[in-house]
Amino acid sequence: MAEPATGVVDAALLNPAESEERTEPAWGAVVSLALGVFGLVTAEFLPASLLTPMASDLGVSEGVAGQAVTATAIVGAIAAPTMAIITRRMDRRLVMWMLTVLLILSNLLATFASSLSVLLLARVVLGVALGGFWAMSAAMALRLVPMRLMPRAMSIILTGVSLATVCAAPIGAYVGEVWGWRTAFMIATVVGALALLVQLATIPRLPPAGVASFRTLLDVLERPMIRVALLVVLLVASGHFAGFTYVRPFLEKVPVLDIETISLVLLAYGIGGFFGNVAGGILAERNLKAAVALAPLLIALAAASMLVFGASPAVAAAAVAAWGFGFGAVPVGLQTWLVRAAPDQAESAGGLMVATFQVAIALGAVFGGLLVDHAGVASAFAYCGIATLLAALAAFLLGPKPADS
């Protein structure tokens, strides 16, 4: 993901020679960043698979418990653009170590949370770590490998996202059922600790370079195609998280699946997301507009299928897997679109995408929670279908031109 900080540009990004100074790639450090993102994404999405037992244990409704996702997203959106400014005089490896420590602290707080307020505090801490990581990761990668190896480095780092998508939901649901939801967060704590150990051993000194600025953010926002792309991001992400945050209650109440089957369905979602990521990249190379539009359209069709035919376990399982495939393809197409729409300010464009994505997560989780508590879980899936369908239409009608594909 190209420098996911809202307009904050590290000097290493503006000066490619900074990364060329390293003639030998520091692959160990790159892998340590992949472990870090695996831990962060795992922690971010655990509530989706643990919502029912968390809500019951803390004595709140599922809609209220779902706001654990909202807290992380809001803080992440704030942390992303401000982290580089706050830490502008610090060695970048120290910043990364600090962020991983916050990941560990967040999981520990969640493990021992005795109330909703403590759980929300844990998710706020996670939001700082998550937003800060995405603000720094691409800039760090540029300084860890020669420029020609940058795509490979980012591919390795983002593998952590794919693996977490596959593992977090099904394993979290199973562990939460067998040993309790707190055990799932304790395991996430161990994952974060292992990532920190590898980072301590592998990340070299990376002194701060230059002063962070928001100026490029305003420049990029003036471009019409960027604004259209961010609208698509907002619709897709808010729709997805309004629905998927409450997928477990839906599977429990509509097709009435047991926990073992739900774990398998969530595993199918994760595997679908992994292959969707691969397919999205292949399609984006050939037809960018199709890649950007078809992914949210598939999510809309999956949500509609669950609403109409969701009482069938087979249909519900297939729809969740298709949903995962569609959502896995979303980031690849949207990132490519944003970068091609602003090739001279690719990092700021990527940062805008992350900030918009985090805001959309918060909006989707809040709205989804209100719908679930007042109109039933099916209403959240209805909103998901409508929002993602609108995103697909916007991409088809206003998306990247054939010349950009």
Side-chain angles (χ1 to χ4, degrees), residues 332-344:
V332 182
L334 286 174
Q335 273 186 264
T336 305
W337 181 8
L338 281 160
V339 168
R340 292 186 183 180
D344 55 327

Side-chain angles (χ1 to χ4, degrees), residues 32-392:
S32 78
L33 296 182
L35 290 173
V37 73
F38 174 78
L40 285 163
V41 175
T42 295
E44 183 180 17
F45 293 125
L46 272 181
S49 60
L50 300 170
L51 200 61
T52 302
M54 283 172 57
S56 176
D57 190 22
L58 297 175
V60 297
S61 71
E62 292 169 350
V64 172
Q67 302 317 307
V69 176
T70 309
T72 303
I74 293 174
V75 176
I78 297 171
T82 57
M83 185 60 64
I85 296 175
I86 294 172
T87 63
R88 62 183 179 271
R89 300 188 186 280
M90 293 178 62
D91 187 307
R92 274 21 208 164
R93 68 172 179 174
L94 295 179
V95 176
M96 188 55 62
W97 295 346
M98 176 186 71
L99 295 172
T100 307
V101 168
L102 289 179
L103 166 64
I104 296 169
L105 176 61
S106 167
N107 287 325
L108 283 175
L109 284 171
T111 300
F112 298 104
S114 57
S115 65
L116 179 64
S117 59
V118 177
L119 178 64
L120 291 178
L121 174 62
R123 305 302 291 182
V124 165
V125 174
L126 178 64
V128 175
L130 192 72
F133 176 88
W134 290 122
M136 300 290 181
S137 58
M140 286 186 65
L142 276 171
R143 300 174 67 183
L144 291 172
V145 301
M147 179 60 73
R148 70 183 188 279
L149 297 176
M150 179 62 184
R152 188 184 306 178
M154 287 309 300
S155 176
I156 292 172
I157 292 172
L158 292 178
T159 298
V161 177
S162 298
L163 292 177
T165 301
V166 172
C167 298
I171 293 177
Y174 182 77
V175 169
E177 180 68 18
V178 176
W179 292 296
W181 66 271
R182 298 176 188 275
T183 302
F185 279 101
M186 180 55 72
I187 292 174
T189 303
V190 174
V191 172
L194 290 175
L196 178 61
L197 289 175
V198 178
Q199 289 172 3
L200 289 170
T202 59
I203 298 180
R205 283 176 50 82
L206 296 171
V211 179
S213 169
F214 290 99
R215 182 184 304 173
T216 54
L217 173 64
L218 298 177
D219 294 337
V220 171
L221 275 174
E222 292 178 356
R223 306 183 188 191
M225 192 58 70
I226 291 293
R227 292 197 291 268
V228 174
L230 293 180
L231 172 63
V232 173
V233 172
L234 185 66
L235 289 169
V236 172
S238 67
H240 169 78
F241 283 95
F244 188 71
T245 300
Y246 305 98
V247 69
R248 174 170 172 170
F250 180 91
L251 294 174
E252 289 175 332
K253 296 173 182 177
V254 181
V256 195
L257 304 181
D258 56 36
I259 185 59
E260 290 80 9
T261 305
I262 290 174
S263 296
L264 291 175
V265 171
L266 293 176
L267 176 61
Y269 169 88
I271 294 173
F274 180 83
F275 286 105
N277 189 20
V278 174
I282 295 172
L283 182 58
E285 292 179 1
R286 291 161 172 76
N287 189 322
L288 183 54
K289 176 175 284 192
V292 171
L294 290 178
L297 180 59
L298 182 58
I299 297 174
L301 292 173
S305 298
M306 293 180 74
L307 284 172
V308 178
F309 306 109
S312 165
V315 171
V320 171
W323 190 334
F325 186 93
F327 192 67
V330 163
V332 182
L334 286 174
Q335 273 186 264
T336 305
W337 181 8
L338 281 160
V339 168
R340 292 186 183 180
D344 55 327
Q345 300 291 352
E347 294 81 19
S348 292
L352 281 170
M353 175 181 169
V354 172
T356 304
F357 203 90
Q358 292 298 320
V359 170
I361 291 174
L363 292 174
V366 168
F367 191 49
L370 292 173
L371 289 172
V372 168
D373 285 346
H374 295 93
V377 69
S379 62
F381 285 79
Y383 170 73
C384 172
I386 293 170
T388 50
L389 178 59
L390 290 175

